[in-house]
Amino acid sequence: KHIGQSDAGRELLSKEMGLCEPLESEEDVAALLGYLQDPFFELAEGSYPFPSDYITFATFNGSLAKLPPWPVRKVCESLDEDFGIVLQGDEGSVKFTVTADKASVSVDWDELRSNNYSVADVAGGKLPRLFKAVADGIQVWYNVT
């Protein structure tokens, strides 16, 4: 979310994720995060080794659109690359630091702190490819629904 606090950061996210409408506010960034996070519960619940409309039928008023076999794996195919992300700490106790390129974010339960990275720090590394990969992967859900 930190990158979404500036106009330049929102512009970078909009461009790299191929959004139809540019992110114009922090509220737009929060909505985008929800859009990206919400399908994972449904995808996980409907993750069968065969195509299935079990979740789409229940979630979308009788839709017969089928998810592919193992839809979570399908989402992750676009993420099967080394984006240079390093995780240190204990995610079980929700106290960890995520570092990617020159950007670093520390999590301590419900608090986030960054190393005050700049948009240029993010734009010059591998993170823009990660933004695109996330946008590509989540289409497994949104292209079906």
Side-chain angles (χ1 to χ4, degrees):
K1 182 174 176 181
H2 289 250
I3 194 165
Q5 293 175 330
S6 71
D7 291 339
R10 290 189 293 273
E11 183 179 332
L12 177 68
L13 287 169
S14 298
K15 176 184 169 234
E16 297 301 331
M17 297 188 88
L19 303 180
C20 296
E21 298 288 326
L23 299 168
E24 296 180 351
S25 66
E26 289 184 49
E27 291 77 21
D28 287 352
V29 174
L32 174 63
L33 287 172
Y35 174 87
L36 296 171
Q37 292 171 345
D38 290 346
F40 278 96
F41 175 80
E42 306 293 350
L43 287 166
E45 190 172 333
S47 197
Y48 300 112
F50 49 83
S52 172
D53 63 3
Y54 168 70
I55 291 299
T56 56
F57 185 86
T59 306
F60 297 102
N61 298 321
S63 170
L64 297 177
K66 292 184 188 257
L67 289 170
W70 302 118
V72 174
R73 290 181 186 175
K74 190 74 174 162
V75 168
C76 292
E77 284 177 6
S78 67
L79 300 169
D80 190 20
E81 177 180 337
D82 181 2
F83 295 102
I85 296 172
V86 177
L87 178 67
Q88 294 176 305
D90 182 6
E91 47 295 359
S93 64
V94 194
K95 189 172 178 139
F96 55 88
T97 299
V98 179
T99 303
D101 300 320
K102 297 178 183 176
S104 181
V105 176
S106 296
V107 177
D108 187 352
W109 191 245
D110 62 349
E111 293 180 30
L112 293 175
R113 290 182 317 281
S114 78
N115 65 341
N116 296 316
Y117 59 85
S118 69
V119 174
D121 291 337
V122 172
K126 295 180 179 181
L127 284 175
R129 287 198 336 259
L130 175 60
F131 300 153
K132 181 177 182 339
V134 169
D136 290 347
I138 204 64
Q139 294 312 310
V140 168
W141 176 254
Y142 286 111
N143 284 341
V144 169
T145 60

